[in-house]
Coordinates of all heavy atoms in Angstrom, one line a residue:
M1 N -2.4 8.0 16.3 CA -2.6 7.9 14.8 C -1.5 8.6 14.1 O -1.1 9.7 14.5 CB -4.0 8.5 14.5 CG -4.2 8.5 13.0 SD -5.8 9.3 12.6 CE -6.4 8.2 11.4
I2 N -1.0 8.0 13.1 CA 0.1 8.5 12.2 C -0.5 9.0 10.9 O -1.2 8.2 10.2 CB 1.2 7.5 12.0 CG1 1.8 7.0 13.3 CG2 2.2 8.0 11.1 CD1 2.8 5.9 13.2
D3 N -0.3 10.2 10.6 CA -0.7 10.8 9.3 C 0.5 11.0 8.4 O 1.5 11.5 8.8 CB -1.4 12.1 9.5 CG -2.7 12.0 10.2 OD1 -3.4 11.0 10.0 OD2 -3.1 12.9 11.0
M4 N 0.3 10.6 7.2 CA 1.4 10.7 6.2 C 1.0 11.9 5.3 O -0.1 12.0 4.8 CB 1.6 9.5 5.3 CG 2.1 8.3 6.1 SD 2.2 6.8 5.1 CE 3.4 7.2 3.9
N5 N 2.0 12.8 5.0 CA 1.7 13.8 4.1 C 1.8 13.3 2.6 O 2.2 12.2 2.4 CB 2.5 15.1 4.4 CG 4.0 14.8 4.1 OD1 4.4 14.1 3.2 ND2 4.8 15.4 5.0
M6 N 1.6 14.1 1.7 CA 1.6 13.7 0.3 C 3.0 13.3 -0.2 O 3.2 12.4 -0.9 CB 1.0 14.8 -0.6 CG -0.4 15.1 -0.4 SD -1.5 13.6 -0.8 CE -1.4 13.6 -2.5
T7 N 4.0 14.0 0.3 CA 5.4 13.6 0.0 C 5.7 12.3 0.5 O 6.3 11.4 -0.3 CB 6.4 14.7 0.5 OG1 6.0 16.0 0.0 CG2 7.8 14.3 0.2
E8 N 5.4 12.0 1.7 CA 5.7 10.7 2.3 C 4.9 9.6 1.6 O 5.4 8.5 1.3 CB 5.3 10.6 3.8 CG 6.2 11.6 4.6 CD 5.7 11.8 6.0 OE1 4.5 11.8 6.2 OE2 6.5 12.0 6.9
T9 N 3.7 9.8 1.2 CA 2.8 8.9 0.5 C 3.4 8.6 -0.9 O 3.5 7.4 -1.3 CB 1.4 9.4 0.4 OG1 0.9 9.6 1.7 CG2 0.5 8.4 -0.3
A10 N 3.9 9.6 -1.6 CA 4.5 9.4 -2.9 C 5.8 8.6 -2.8 O 6.0 7.7 -3.6 CB 4.8 10.8 -3.5
R11 N 6.6 8.9 -1.8 CA 7.8 8.1 -1.6 C 7.5 6.6 -1.3 O 8.2 5.7 -1.8 CB 8.6 8.7 -0.4 CG 9.3 10.0 -0.8 CD 10.1 10.5 0.4 NE 10.7 11.8 0.0 CZ 11.0 12.7 0.8 NH1 10.9 12.5 2.1 NH2 11.5 13.9 0.4
L12 N 6.5 6.4 -0.5 CA 6.1 5.0 -0.2 C 5.7 4.3 -1.5 O 6.1 3.2 -1.8 CB 4.9 5.0 0.8 CG 4.3 3.6 1.0 CD1 5.3 2.6 1.6 CD2 3.0 3.7 1.8
I13 N 4.8 4.9 -2.3 CA 4.3 4.4 -3.6 C 5.5 4.1 -4.5 O 5.6 3.0 -5.1 CB 3.3 5.3 -4.2 CG1 2.0 5.3 -3.4 CG2 3.0 4.8 -5.7 CD1 1.0 6.3 -3.8
L14 N 6.4 5.1 -4.7 CA 7.5 4.9 -5.6 C 8.5 3.8 -5.1 O 9.0 3.0 -5.9 CB 8.3 6.2 -5.7 CG 7.6 7.3 -6.4 CD1 8.3 8.6 -6.3 CD2 7.3 7.0 -7.9
D15 N 8.7 3.7 -3.8 CA 9.5 2.6 -3.2 C 8.9 1.2 -3.5 O 9.6 0.3 -3.9 CB 9.7 2.8 -1.7 CG 10.6 1.8 -1.2 OD1 11.8 1.7 -1.7 OD2 10.3 1.1 -0.2
L16 N 7.6 1.1 -3.3 CA 6.9 -0.2 -3.6 C 7.0 -0.5 -5.1 O 7.1 -1.7 -5.4 CB 5.5 -0.2 -3.1 CG 5.3 -0.1 -1.6 CD1 3.9 0.1 -1.1 CD2 5.9 -1.3 -0.9
R17 N 6.8 0.5 -6.0 CA 7.0 0.2 -7.4 C 8.4 -0.3 -7.7 O 8.6 -1.2 -8.5 CB 6.7 1.5 -8.2 CG 5.3 1.8 -8.4 CD 5.2 3.0 -9.2 NE 3.8 3.4 -9.5 CZ 3.4 4.5 -10.1 NH1 4.3 5.4 -10.5 NH2 2.1 4.7 -10.4
T18 N 9.4 0.3 -7.1 CA 10.8 -0.1 -7.2 C 11.0 -1.6 -6.8 O 11.7 -2.3 -7.4 CB 11.7 0.8 -6.4 OG1 11.6 2.1 -6.9 CG2 13.2 0.4 -6.6
K19 N 10.2 -2.0 -5.8 CA 10.3 -3.4 -5.3 C 9.5 -4.3 -6.2 O 9.4 -5.5 -5.9 CB 9.9 -3.4 -3.9 CG 10.8 -2.7 -2.9 CD 10.4 -2.8 -1.5 CE 11.2 -2.0 -0.6 NZ 12.6 -1.8 -0.8
G20 N 8.9 -3.8 -7.3 CA 8.1 -4.7 -8.2 C 6.7 -4.8 -7.9 O 6.0 -5.7 -8.5
W21 N 6.1 -4.1 -7.0 CA 4.7 -4.1 -6.7 C 3.9 -3.5 -7.9 O 4.3 -2.5 -8.4 CB 4.3 -3.4 -5.4 CG 4.8 -4.0 -4.1 CD1 5.9 -4.6 -3.9 CD2 4.0 -4.1 -2.9 NE1 6.0 -5.1 -2.6 CE2 4.8 -4.7 -2.0 CE3 2.8 -3.6 -2.6 CZ2 4.4 -5.0 -0.7 CZ3 2.3 -3.8 -1.3 CH2 3.1 -4.5 -0.4
S22 N 2.8 -4.1 -8.2 CA 1.9 -3.5 -9.2 C 1.1 -2.4 -8.6 O 1.0 -2.3 -7.3 CB 1.0 -4.6 -9.8 OG 0.0 -4.9 -8.8
D23 N 0.6 -1.5 -9.4 CA -0.2 -0.4 -8.9 C -1.5 -0.9 -8.1 O -1.9 -0.4 -7.1 CB -0.6 0.6 -10.0 CG 0.5 1.4 -10.5 OD1 1.5 1.5 -9.8 OD2 0.4 2.0 -11.6
T24 N -2.0 -2.0 -8.6 CA -3.2 -2.6 -8.0 C -2.8 -3.1 -6.6 O -3.6 -2.9 -5.6 CB -3.8 -3.8 -8.8 OG1 -4.2 -3.2 -10.1 CG2 -5.0 -4.4 -8.1
D25 N -1.7 -3.8 -6.5 CA -1.2 -4.3 -5.2 C -1.0 -3.1 -4.2 O -1.3 -3.2 -3.0 CB 0.1 -5.1 -5.3 CG -0.2 -6.5 -6.0 OD1 -1.3 -6.9 -6.0 OD2 0.8 -7.0 -6.5
I26 N -0.4 -2.0 -4.7 CA -0.1 -0.9 -3.9 C -1.4 -0.3 -3.3 O -1.6 0.0 -2.1 CB 0.7 0.2 -4.6 CG1 2.1 -0.3 -4.9 CG2 0.8 1.5 -3.8 CD1 2.9 0.5 -5.9
V27 N -2.4 -0.1 -4.2 CA -3.7 0.5 -3.8 C -4.4 -0.4 -2.8 O -4.9 0.1 -1.8 CB -4.6 0.8 -5.0 CG1 -6.0 1.2 -4.6 CG2 -4.0 1.9 -5.9
N28 N -4.4 -1.7 -3.1 CA -5.0 -2.6 -2.2 C -4.3 -2.6 -0.8 O -5.0 -2.7 0.2 CB -5.0 -4.0 -2.7 CG -6.1 -4.2 -3.8 OD1 -7.0 -3.4 -3.9 ND2 -6.0 -5.2 -4.6
H29 N -3.0 -2.5 -0.8 CA -2.3 -2.5 0.5 C -2.6 -1.2 1.3 O -2.9 -1.3 2.5 CB -0.8 -2.5 0.2 CG 0.1 -2.6 1.4 ND1 0.1 -3.6 2.2 CD2 1.0 -1.7 1.9 CE1 1.0 -3.5 3.2 NE2 1.5 -2.3 3.0
I30 N -2.7 -0.1 0.6 CA -3.1 1.2 1.3 C -4.5 1.1 1.8 O -4.8 1.5 2.9 CB -2.9 2.4 0.3 CG1 -1.4 2.6 0.1 CG2 -3.5 3.6 0.9 CD1 -1.1 3.6 -1.1
L31 N -5.4 0.5 1.0 CA -6.8 0.3 1.4 C -6.9 -0.6 2.6 O -7.7 -0.3 3.5 CB -7.7 -0.2 0.3 CG -8.0 0.8 -0.8 CD1 -8.6 0.1 -2.0 CD2 -8.9 1.9 -0.3
Y32 N -6.1 -1.6 2.6 CA -6.1 -2.5 3.8 C -5.6 -1.8 5.1 O -6.2 -1.9 6.1 CB -5.2 -3.8 3.5 CG -5.1 -4.7 4.7 CD1 -6.3 -5.4 5.2 CD2 -4.0 -4.8 5.4 CE1 -6.2 -6.2 6.3 CE2 -3.9 -5.6 6.5 CZ -5.0 -6.3 7.0 OH -5.0 -7.1 8.1
I33 N -4.6 -1.0 4.9 CA -4.0 -0.3 6.1 C -5.1 0.7 6.6 O -5.3 0.8 7.8 CB -2.7 0.5 5.7 CG1 -1.6 -0.5 5.4 CG2 -2.3 1.5 6.8 CD1 -0.4 0.1 4.8
V34 N -5.8 1.4 5.7 CA -6.7 2.4 6.1 C -8.0 1.9 6.6 O -8.5 2.3 7.6 CB -7.0 3.4 4.9 CG1 -8.1 4.4 5.3 CG2 -5.7 4.2 4.6
T35 N -8.5 0.8 5.9 CA -9.9 0.3 6.3 C -9.8 -0.9 7.2 O -10.8 -1.2 7.9 CB -10.7 -0.1 5.0 OG1 -10.0 -1.2 4.4 CG2 -10.8 1.1 4.1
G36 N -8.8 -1.7 7.1 CA -8.7 -3.0 7.8 C -9.5 -4.1 7.2 O -9.6 -5.2 7.8
E37 N -10.1 -3.8 6.0 CA -11.0 -4.8 5.4 C -10.1 -6.0 4.8 O -9.2 -5.7 4.0 CB -11.8 -4.2 4.3 CG -12.9 -3.2 4.8 CD -13.8 -2.7 3.8 OE1 -14.1 -3.5 2.8 OE2 -14.2 -1.6 3.9
E38 N -10.5 -7.2 5.2 CA -9.7 -8.4 4.8 C -9.6 -8.5 3.2 O -8.7 -9.1 2.7 CB -10.3 -9.6 5.4 CG -10.1 -9.7 6.9 CD -8.6 -9.9 7.3 OE1 -7.9 -10.7 6.7 OE2 -8.2 -9.2 8.3
K39 N -10.6 -8.0 2.5 CA -10.7 -8.2 1.1 C -9.5 -7.5 0.4 O -9.2 -7.9 -0.7 CB -12.0 -7.8 0.5 CG -12.3 -6.3 0.6 CD -13.6 -6.0 0.0 CE -14.0 -4.6 0.1 NZ -15.4 -4.3 -0.4
Y40 N -8.9 -6.6 1.1 CA -7.7 -5.9 0.5 C -6.4 -6.4 1.0 O -5.3 -6.0 0.5 CB -7.8 -4.4 0.8 CG -9.0 -3.7 0.3 CD1 -10.0 -3.1 1.1 CD2 -9.3 -3.6 -1.1 CE1 -11.1 -2.5 0.6 CE2 -10.4 -3.0 -1.6 CZ -11.3 -2.5 -0.8 OH -12.4 -1.9 -1.3
K41 N -6.4 -7.4 1.9 CA -5.2 -7.9 2.5 C -4.4 -8.6 1.4 O -4.9 -9.4 0.6 CB -5.5 -8.8 3.6 CG -4.3 -9.3 4.4 CD -4.7 -10.0 5.7 CE -3.5 -10.4 6.5 NZ -4.0 -11.1 7.7
A42 N -3.1 -8.4 1.4 CA -2.2 -9.1 0.5 C -2.2 -10.6 0.6 O -2.3 -11.1 1.7 CB -0.8 -8.5 0.6
V43 N -2.1 -11.3 -0.5 CA -2.1 -12.7 -0.5 C -0.6 -13.1 -0.8 O -0.1 -12.6 -1.8 CB -3.0 -13.3 -1.6 CG1 -2.8 -14.8 -1.6 CG2 -4.4 -12.9 -1.3
Q44 N 0.0 -13.8 0.1 CA 1.4 -14.2 -0.1 C 1.6 -15.1 -1.3 O 0.9 -16.1 -1.4 CB 2.0 -14.9 1.1 CG 3.5 -15.1 1.0 CD 4.1 -15.5 2.3 OE1 3.4 -15.7 3.3 NE2 5.4 -15.6 2.4
Q45 N 2.5 -14.7 -2.2 CA 2.7 -15.5 -3.4 C 3.8 -16.5 -3.2 O 4.8 -16.1 -2.5 CB 3.0 -14.7 -4.6 CG 1.9 -13.7 -5.0 CD 2.3 -12.7 -6.1 OE1 3.4 -12.7 -6.5 NE2 1.3 -11.9 -6.5
S46 N 3.7 -17.7 -3.7 CA 4.8 -18.7 -3.4 C 5.8 -18.7 -4.5 O 5.6 -18.2 -5.6 CB 4.2 -20.1 -3.2 OG 3.3 -20.4 -4.2

C-alpha cells in the first residue's frame, strides 16, 4: 500500500488543476482510487 502525505496530495491536486481538471473531476478521481467504486470512475470525453 502506498500512502501519500499532505504535501504529495497537494502537489497532485495542483498538477491536475494545471492540466485543466475541474475540482469535481479531481475529487471523483481520488474517490475512485481510494474506494474503487465505479460511480467515481472518469468518463473519457471525446
Side-chain angles (χ1 to χ4, degrees):
M1 176 181 224
I2 298 173
D3 291 324
M4 292 177 65
N5 65 36
M6 293 300 287
T7 301
E8 294 167 328
T9 303
R11 288 181 181 156
L12 172 65
I13 291 168
L14 292 172
D15 185 55
L16 293 174
R17 281 183 176 172
T18 299
K19 295 182 184 325
W21 287 42
S22 71
D23 287 344
T24 300
D25 288 339
I26 292 168
V27 170
N28 285 342
H29 185 63
I30 293 169
L31 287 169
Y32 176 67
I33 290 169
V34 172
T35 67
E37 291 187 33
E38 291 292 317
K39 65 182 177 182
Y40 299 117
K41 190 172 182 177
V43 177
Q44 188 168 4
Q45 298 174 355
S46 50

